[in-house]
Amino acid sequence: MEDRPSAEQLLAAARAFLTETAMPQLTGHAAFHARVAGNVLDIVARELALAPGFAKAEQARLSLLLGETGDLVTLNRKLCEQIAAGEMDLSNEALKTHLIKVTMGKLAIDQPGYQGYKIALANGWPEEDVLEA
């Protein structure tokens, strides 16, 4: 039996306190910093919800792209080495799609309201895959 709130519930409670109780009473720098703290809590919540699936999808794509297995850090290092050596470039459609999906995933977590992200979605840029972690 789980008798404690989840990380997501704790973040939601902290965010609710900031926006509903603290921020209406604050002005100036304190209000600004409270808004920043609220945005940080939102990013952490999205990170918890999305990042594990995004990382799993990224690792699977890298394994296909490179033709080998390994952890995400190692596969990314190998991809960078191939790009730096001129062995892979943007003429490779799989690489281009991979880079777009990774970027879109990072924006989905960090800045989902960013106008460039919304334009990219509207123009058909593929979102990051979400695989169960």
Side-chain angles (χ1 to χ4, degrees), residues 17-99:
F17 168 76
L18 273 174
T19 59
E20 298 165 17
T21 303
M23 286 173 57
Q25 298 178 40
L26 299 172
T27 60
H29 276 58
F32 170 76
H33 288 291
R35 273 193 299 281
V36 169
N39 289 338
V40 167
L41 293 175
D42 289 341
I43 291 169
V44 171
R46 289 189 300 270
E47 180 87 21
L48 287 170
L50 299 173
F54 287 179
K56 192 170 183 178
E58 180 181 359
Q59 185 174 0
R61 274 194 318 275
L62 283 168
S63 288
L64 287 173
L65 189 62
L66 299 169
E68 52 188 278
T69 60
D71 63 77
L72 188 55
V73 171
T74 301
L75 292 172
N76 268 310
R77 187 177 310 114
K78 289 183 181 198
L79 177 63
C80 290
E81 288 168 0
Q82 286 190 13
I83 292 170
E87 298 168 9
M88 194 176 300
D89 60 30
L90 290 178
S91 65
N92 181 319
E93 287 299 318
L95 172 62
K96 195 181 317 184
T97 298
H98 170 73
L99 295 174

Side-chain angles (χ1 to χ4, degrees), residues 54 61 93-108 117 119-130:
F54 287 179
R61 274 194 318 275
E93 287 299 318
L95 172 62
K96 195 181 317 184
T97 298
H98 170 73
L99 295 174
I100 290 170
K101 285 185 174 194
V102 168
T103 301
M104 294 297 282
K106 291 183 185 306
L107 286 171
Y117 175 71
I119 291 169
L121 285 175
N123 287 325
W125 278 36
E127 288 191 272
E128 178 62 282
D129 301 316
V130 179

